[in-house]
Amino acid sequence: MIQKLKSWGIFKSILVLGIFGLILHSCSQQEYAERTDTQVNMLGYIENDPDQFSLFLEILKITGNDVFVGTYGTYTLFLPTNDAIDEYLTSRGASSIQDVSMEDLEDLVRLHLIEQKINTSSFTDGKIPTSTMYGEFLTTGAKNENGETKITVNKVARIIKANIEVGNGIIHVIDKVLPKATQTLAQMLDSREDLSLFNEAVVATGWNAPLNEPLTYDSDSVPSYLTVFAQTNTAFENAGINSLQDLKDRYSHTGNPMDPDDSLNLFVAYRILPGLKYVADLVTSPSHITKAPSEVIGVRVKKDTVLLNEETFNGQLERGIPLDREKSDVTATNGVLHIVKENFNVKVRFPTPVYFDVGDQPEIRQLPSIFRRPGNEVTFYPGELQNIRWGGGLYVKYVAHTAGSREAQAYWGDWLEIQRLRTGSSSWIEFDTPVIIKGQYKVWITYRTNGRASVAQAKFDGELLSRTVDFREYRNTELPPRVYESQGYKQSLAGDTWIYNSRFMGIVDVETTGRHVFRLEALTGAGGPSWIDVIEFRPVEMDQLWPKLGGDGELVYENEGEEPAEGE
């Protein structure tokens, strides 16, 4: 956060100096930013409607940010009305804007601005992928009031006028000032009466100390965010737990909850995840590392419900714990808080399939107008994707295919184009995988066939896999599926287009739960790119043909698209 504040101050200083220099340099009466259209910018829009926005305009002028929002750029502003700011002042016991500190006013402006143009069509029910200039993420959702659906921001403000195009971005008018996070996770738990028993467990196990630490950054600029799954007193009561002593009696096998090996300590640690993971982040991976050593929490989505630790193993459905989405995604100064609806304990994990959509990368997710938006693409060069590295200085292109096309049958309707994977300087590419639970897995790679691509070998954590993949090879549509599987191939996608093939690469022993490195090395030259869709890690005991992967990200099961019933 400190880094964000410093960057903001430096940027404003440079901006003002730059404008002054350009005015001196110009011999005409031309404006600083040559516009490509005749629209007013954000400042002009605010100035043109003083009845609604004069108070926010006053804040901009007091903080010196009127210059900033009046210059050319690409921004999103969540613009509070005068009524919203009046309510904000009343809540602070302030009679005027002058009664609020300069620091708080500057924070207010930064919290309402994003350095990217984001239309409501790019909103999801959860976190906006790009953080505000204050450094916090905003969340959006839908709320029905009197038969009318309104978009909410951070669960408190409603968008009353959306998608106002201005010369330097887009404006969404909101009816409340967005509150900034002021409590650590520990303080948040301590302040909520409905979480009092969970908080007692956190304190008894000593986990309140790390949950109370301010945000820091390591030598690689990785922030120390944490994510917590808390449960209410009601959830405990429904499980027959009414006091801290009940918790100790049930879970503390050593009698010392402070002991990291104590079961009650692990009970709490299992609910704490490293990193900042809103619901939108949780659902991108089937499992997430927890603070309980070698233990992960599984995440699955069924319709609109997010479930923890639900999976079908050996034909048995293990029902999951529902997340209370309405009460989750609560931002703290050092992380995010979620609420679960039921009690749960550390789950003994079995190997779980991982369907690694290689196009699902953090940098691409931050482009809501591109990521999984049909008919869009974007190119990246070495060093621009933190979880993918490649040789040769060539580019990697993310492609989201046009809806209804054959290519759109790819998993999630997208792929990565590797230009080019061939012998020589561009002979390799490697990926950091999602979390894989320790166990033994069969590895498959699904690709879009290109007759001018190359042949490659694969390595997992540096160990060579037993098979190679020929990206020029088409899928055989004549052989029965089980026969084709025995030869090391399959149809992995729910769509039946012949332009995709899936190749078995070998079996890997994953010794530790976590992220791993999958690497491809070219064995031949190539006259064209390689198109990679998904890399699958399926437990060796699992059916390797079902479920199949849908273009919309859904898993399609063998029996008329239904999942196995419990007990089958």
Side-chain angles (χ1 to χ4, degrees):
M1 189 70 69
I2 293 172
Q3 189 174 15
K4 285 274 185 182
L5 296 176
K6 289 180 178 177
S7 299
W8 172 271
I10 293 170
F11 179 75
K12 283 201 300 180
S13 300
I14 293 172
L15 181 61
V16 172
L17 288 173
I19 293 172
F20 183 67
L22 281 171
I23 291 171
L24 291 178
H25 180 73
S26 177
C27 296
S28 68
Q29 294 182 349
Q30 205 172 357
E31 293 183 5
Y32 159 60
E34 289 191 8
R35 309 202 50 76
T36 58
D37 54 47
T38 58
Q39 289 177 309
V40 297
N41 55 29
M42 288 180 176
L43 182 62
Y45 181 86
I46 295 168
E47 289 177 328
N48 289 342
D49 196 349
D51 290 341
Q52 279 210 86
F53 308 121
S54 60
L55 293 179
F56 191 75
L57 177 61
E58 185 179 350
I59 293 173
L60 290 175
K61 289 182 176 180
I62 289 174
T63 59
N65 290 306
D66 53 332
V67 176
F68 174 73
V69 300
T71 57
Y72 185 74
T74 307
Y75 305 99
T76 297
L77 171 63
F78 291 88
L79 176 59
T81 63
N82 286 345
D83 288 342
I85 293 179
D86 278 334
E87 184 179 335
Y88 164 79
L89 294 174
T90 300
S91 69
R92 298 176 61 92
S95 59
S96 69
I97 291 171
Q98 285 72 23
D99 294 333
V100 181
S101 71
M102 179 67 73
E103 179 183 358
D104 285 343
L105 291 177
E106 288 192 337
D107 289 349
L108 186 153
V109 174
R110 289 193 290 271
L111 186 62
H112 290 71
L113 270 170
I114 296 176
E115 292 182 279
Q116 187 174 325
K117 185 176 177 180
I118 303 176
N119 193 289
T120 55
S121 63
S122 298
F123 290 176
T124 58
D125 187 10
K127 183 188 76 173
I128 293 176
T130 304
S131 68
T132 66
M133 298 189 76
Y134 180 65
E136 284 186 10
F137 288 90
L138 302 181
T139 60
T140 60
K143 189 174 183 180
N144 189 283
E145 295 181 355
N146 301 320
E148 184 179 2
T149 300
K150 293 284 188 180
I151 297 174
T152 61
V153 185
N154 278 17
K155 302 183 185 297
V156 296
R158 294 180 306 164
I159 294 179
I160 55 180
K161 191 173 182 181
N163 304 323
I164 304 164
E165 293 277 354
V166 292
N168 56 349
I170 193 165
I171 294 173
H172 306 295
V173 179
I174 54 177
D175 66 351
K176 292 184 184 297
V177 171
L178 301 176
K180 68 178 181 180
T182 58
Q183 294 180 312
T184 65
L185 286 163
Q187 291 167 339
M188 190 176 290
L189 293 174
D190 188 54
S191 67
R192 290 186 50 167
E193 182 60 33
D194 61 327
L195 302 177
S196 60
L197 182 50
F198 181 76
N199 184 56
E200 286 186 67
V202 168
V203 173
T205 55
W207 278 103
N208 60 314
L211 293 182
N212 200 42
E213 290 178 359
L215 186 66
T216 59
Y217 294 83
D218 65 15
S219 57
D220 295 321
S221 299
V222 177
S224 60
Y225 287 117
L226 295 172
T227 299
V228 175
F229 293 109
Q231 62 192 63
T232 63
N233 297 341
T234 300
F236 277 119
E237 291 168 5
N238 291 339
I241 301 171
N242 298 289
S243 66
L244 179 60
Q245 189 58 50
D246 288 346
L247 269 173
K248 291 179 178 179
D249 291 342
R250 182 175 298 192
Y251 295 118
S252 181
H253 76 289
T254 70
N256 179 17
M258 287 285 188
D259 185 344
D261 293 326
D262 183 78
S263 297
L264 182 55
N265 194 292
L266 292 172
F267 176 91
V268 174
Y270 191 57
R271 287 160 166 74
I272 303 174
L273 279 57
L276 186 68
K277 297 185 177 181
Y278 291 83
V279 172
D281 304 304
L282 292 171
V283 300
T284 63
S285 177
S287 57
H288 297 267
I289 296 172
T290 72
K291 286 292 186 177
S294 301
E295 301 294 346
V296 299
I297 278 183
V299 176
R300 191 171 186 181
V301 181
K302 277 189 172 180
K303 297 182 179 179
D304 294 329
T305 303
V306 178
L307 297 167
L308 305 184
N309 290 342
E310 173 155 311
E311 63 184 48
T312 300
F313 189 77
N314 289 336
Q316 297 293 320
L317 178 64
E318 300 174 354
R319 298 198 177 277
I321 304 300
L323 198 67
D324 191 332
R325 296 188 66 172
E326 186 176 343
K327 298 179 181 177
S328 295
D329 276 347
V330 182
T331 301
T333 57
N334 58 349
V336 61
L337 176 69
H338 302 295
I339 305 297
V340 295
K341 294 183 176 182
E342 299 174 17
N343 181 57
F344 67 100
N345 196 13
V346 177
K347 188 179 184 72
V348 177
R349 302 303 305 177
F350 299 101
T352 301
V354 173
Y355 310 114
F356 176 25
D357 176 14
V358 295
D360 188 356
Q361 301 296 328
E363 296 82 0
I364 305 174
R365 277 189 165 269
Q366 291 182 9
L367 303 173
S369 62
I370 300 292
F371 181 63
R372 293 176 180 166
R373 294 284 174 177
N376 290 288
E377 60 183 45
V378 62
T379 298
F380 296 92
Y381 294 93
E384 294 183 345
L385 295 172
Q386 62 177 329
N387 295 324
I388 307 179
R389 298 160 294 280
W390 62 92
L394 299 174
Y395 64 78
V396 166
K397 181 185 293 185
Y398 169 83
V399 181
H401 292 288
T402 303
S405 67
R406 294 182 307 172
E407 289 80 6
Q409 294 184 37
Y411 185 43
W412 284 110
D414 58 11
W415 69 37
L416 281 186
E417 175 180 305
I418 315 302
Q419 179 76 7
R420 301 173 184 169
L421 185 63
R422 60 182 180 182
T423 51
S425 60
S426 57
S427 64
W428 63 275
I429 184 169
E430 64 182 21
F431 305 85
D432 294 336
T433 72
V435 171
I436 305 175
I437 299 170
K438 59 184 178 183
Q440 196 173 53
Y441 295 83
K442 289 186 176 181
V443 182
W444 300 82
I445 184 167
T446 298
Y447 59 92
R448 201 287 199 194
T449 304
N450 181 6
R452 301 173 63 232
S454 63
V455 178
Q457 65 184 12
K459 292 181 178 179
F460 183 81
D461 288 344
E463 295 293 325
L464 185 66
L465 274 63
S466 60
R467 309 286 181 90
T468 62
V469 56
D470 185 345
F471 289 108
R472 305 166 300 186
E473 194 170 18
Y474 286 91
R475 180 165 61 87
N476 187 318
T477 59
E478 302 297 328
L479 287 175
R482 295 296 176 186
V483 174
Y484 199 41
E485 179 193 2
S486 70
Q487 296 179 1
Y489 301 91
K490 68 171 181 173
Q491 175 191 337
S492 65
L493 305 179
D496 195 32
T497 179
W498 50 271
I499 63 173
Y500 291 99
N501 201 8
S502 187
R503 174 64 165 148
F504 173 60
M505 301 303 297
I507 295 176
V508 296
D509 286 306
V510 179
E511 296 181 354
T512 58
T513 296
R515 304 186 71 176
H516 299 267
V517 177
F518 182 85
R519 181 182 174 101
L520 290 169
E521 298 176 347
L523 298 176
T524 66
S530 299
W531 297 314
I532 302 176
D533 179 18
V534 60
I535 302 169
E536 297 180 60
F537 299 87
R538 295 198 182 210
V540 292
E541 302 90 351
M542 180 181 176
D543 189 336
Q544 300 298 306
L545 299 187
W546 298 94
K548 296 187 184 298
L549 311 178
D552 56 0
E554 291 293 319
L555 300 181
V556 179
Y557 290 81
E558 184 173 12
N559 298 319
E560 298 179 348
E562 296 295 327
E563 299 180 47
E566 185 175 14
E568 287 186 357

